Amino acid sequence: MLRSSQESAKRAAGKVLPHNSAPAKQASASDPAKSIEDAMKADHSVPWSIVLGLTLLTLLPALLLSITPLVRLLVVFHFLRQALGTQTAPSNQVLMGLALMMTWFLMQPVLLQVEQQAVTPYRAGTISGEEAMSRGIQPVKHYMLRYAREKDLAVFASAGMTARPLTKDDLPIQVVIPAYMLSELKAGFQIGAVLFLPFLLVDLVIASITTSIGMMQLPPVVISTPLKILLFVMVDGWNLLADQLIKSF
């Protein structure tokens, strides 16, 4: 009887032990959360990294259009498509992809400066997030000032600044960005107008020929569009256009 009672007590204790180990498992399960919290407390840059990353993702399309050559490239490409007379070829996706790749190629020196001056020290923990943003905007600002016209800078400086700046570097970024966009729009329209003239001449010649021979029922566009595409392909137009666009920066 005594031996059986001891065996039943051991079985009861064995059944109770798993229930008693539940708090230990809960404590071990909560350890990762505590470690993450401790890491965030130890490294104060983690919340800043999250906020900065989400903000940049939201503003990325606007940033690409406002501080890069993307505006000029897209304007020129759309002028070219209108001059050729092809409504949807190349498509908007193709033109946007080409403009993005050319923008990335043209902005590589600026991005390298931003990485050296702001990103690398911020990852090393030597500067704060606010200082990294102020350092990173300087190479982009100098790039925009290189192509922004003084007339456009004067428009926004006179409207938004009370004191006259001594140099261009003293202008705030909210003045430089819209002035740079206006300058890029003008440059894009100038290149597009020059690009439009040869194709306009082809349209005028074809229209005069079809009118003189009495082909009133056949629209001149039906004849001029294939001729313009053939002319553009024969002179290797895409290569010439990309070369001149890159040299314009």
Side-chain angles (χ1 to χ4, degrees), residues 58-89:
T58 306
L59 300 177
L60 186 59
L63 289 174
L64 285 175
L65 288 173
S66 58
I67 65 176
T68 64
L70 188 62
V71 173
R72 183 191 302 191
L73 298 176
L74 286 177
V75 169
V76 173
F77 290 156
H78 283 284
F79 264 105
L80 174 63
R81 189 169 64 180
Q82 292 295 324
L84 287 173
T86 56
Q87 301 298 324
T88 58

Side-chain angles (χ1 to χ4, degrees), residues 53-226:
L54 292 176
T55 304
L56 289 178
L57 284 176
T58 306
L59 300 177
L60 186 59
L63 289 174
L64 285 175
L65 288 173
S66 58
I67 65 176
T68 64
L70 188 62
V71 173
R72 183 191 302 191
L73 298 176
L74 286 177
V75 169
V76 173
F77 290 156
H78 283 284
F79 264 105
L80 174 63
R81 189 169 64 180
Q82 292 295 324
L84 287 173
T86 56
Q87 301 298 324
T88 58
S91 62
N92 291 331
Q93 291 81 1
V94 174
L95 294 180
M96 178 61 74
L98 179 59
L100 282 175
M101 291 300 101
M102 292 182 66
T103 299
W104 177 68
F105 175 79
L106 292 169
M107 292 294 291
Q108 273 188 343
V110 181
L111 295 176
L112 183 61
Q113 293 180 7
V114 172
E115 184 178 4
Q116 293 175 351
Q117 298 180 14
V119 178
T120 302
Y122 176 70
R123 287 179 177 176
T126 57
I127 60 175
S128 61
E130 185 177 356
E131 187 177 357
M133 291 183 65
S134 62
R135 285 189 184 185
I137 202 66
Q138 292 303 319
V140 182
K141 181 180 177 181
H142 291 316
Y143 169 80
M144 289 188 290
L145 286 173
R146 191 188 311 167
Y147 299 103
R149 299 186 306 162
E150 293 187 0
K151 185 185 297 185
D152 297 328
L153 291 170
V155 170
F156 293 97
S158 61
M161 298 182 64
T162 56
R164 182 183 178 86
L166 299 177
T167 60
K168 288 183 178 181
D169 295 333
D170 297 332
L171 292 171
I173 194 65
Q174 61 267 22
V175 172
V176 177
I177 290 178
Y180 170 75
M181 291 189 69
L182 287 182
S183 302
E184 287 296 288
L185 283 173
K186 181 180 180 180
F189 271 79
Q190 287 176 341
I191 298 173
V194 174
L195 190 63
F196 213 103
L197 291 177
F199 300 104
L200 180 61
L201 182 61
V202 173
D203 286 332
L204 291 175
V205 171
I206 295 299
S208 62
I209 292 175
T210 54
T211 304
S212 61
I213 63 178
M215 298 176 61
M216 299 298 181
Q217 296 181 352
L218 182 64
V221 179
V222 177
I223 303 175
S224 63
T225 299

